[in-house]
Amino acid sequence: MKSLKKRRRIQVLVAAAVSLTVATGLIGYSLRDGINLYRSPTQLSEVAPPEDEYFQLGGLVKEGSITDRGGVEFDFVITDGAAEIPVSYVGRDPRPDLFTEGQGTIAKGYYRGGRFEAVDLLAKHDETYMPREVVDTLKETGVYQDPNS
């Protein structure tokens, strides 16, 4: 009788361990495309990622860099004060109203051929907002100016 209980207990523990391992593997597999890395222009200019890697690029929109290409497509340059990355917006949505030169933005897309191809843009939602990642990047390069001072 003891042997049967012991064997059953071991079987339950092994089944639980296998189930936990499979569940962890499935969660990791499903999240592999959902994790978007953030990079600054300086980081991107130092080490170029693979062309098929989807990530976020953040910084300030360089003054005088926005160029319309017709329709909803346009070009601009993202800078962190130390490096500049040319960006082509190839998404389907029109340019956000608060997307202007000198303002912080985060572009999501791919870096291909020395140019960032943005498929989505995050612009500020009011006059004082700037994404936390962009603020941190600008502080690192010494470009950030606190709007409250």
Side-chain angles (χ1 to χ4, degrees):
M1 190 70 163
K2 268 188 169 182
S3 172
L4 185 61
K5 281 186 174 182
K6 188 175 184 179
R7 191 176 331 157
R8 181 63 66 194
R9 189 176 301 142
I10 290 173
Q11 288 173 343
V12 168
L13 289 174
V14 168
V18 168
S19 297
L20 184 61
T21 302
V22 169
T24 302
L26 289 174
I27 290 170
Y29 180 76
S30 67
L31 290 177
R32 67 182 162 77
D33 288 334
I35 298 171
N36 299 326
L37 299 175
Y38 172 83
R39 290 189 172 90
S40 69
T42 301
Q43 292 169 331
L44 189 57
S45 65
E46 291 171 355
V47 179
E51 289 188 354
D52 62 340
E53 182 180 337
Y54 184 80
F55 65 96
Q56 299 177 9
L57 174 67
L60 295 176
V61 178
K62 183 179 176 186
E63 295 288 336
S65 69
I66 299 176
T67 307
D68 289 319
R69 289 191 291 153
V72 297
E73 296 181 359
F74 58 96
D75 297 328
F76 60 99
V77 174
I78 288 184
T79 183
D80 61 2
E84 298 178 351
I85 302 294
V87 178
S88 293
Y89 176 71
V90 294
R92 295 182 295 223
D93 299 323
R95 182 172 37 192
D97 292 336
L98 294 175
F99 180 85
T100 58
E101 296 169 345
Q103 298 298 323
T105 190
I106 293 180
K108 298 180 179 183
Y110 305 91
Y111 188 65
R112 296 179 175 146
R115 184 170 207 81
F116 189 79
E117 296 176 3
V119 294
D120 196 16
L121 290 176
L122 301 176
K124 63 182 187 170
H125 55 75
D126 65 26
E127 293 301 317
T128 59
Y129 173 76
M130 187 174 300
R132 180 181 47 79
E133 294 91 347
V134 173
V135 170
D136 293 343
T137 298
L138 296 175
K139 283 181 179 178
E140 287 176 13
T141 59
V143 176
Y144 181 73
Q145 296 175 356
D146 189 0
N148 298 324
S149 58

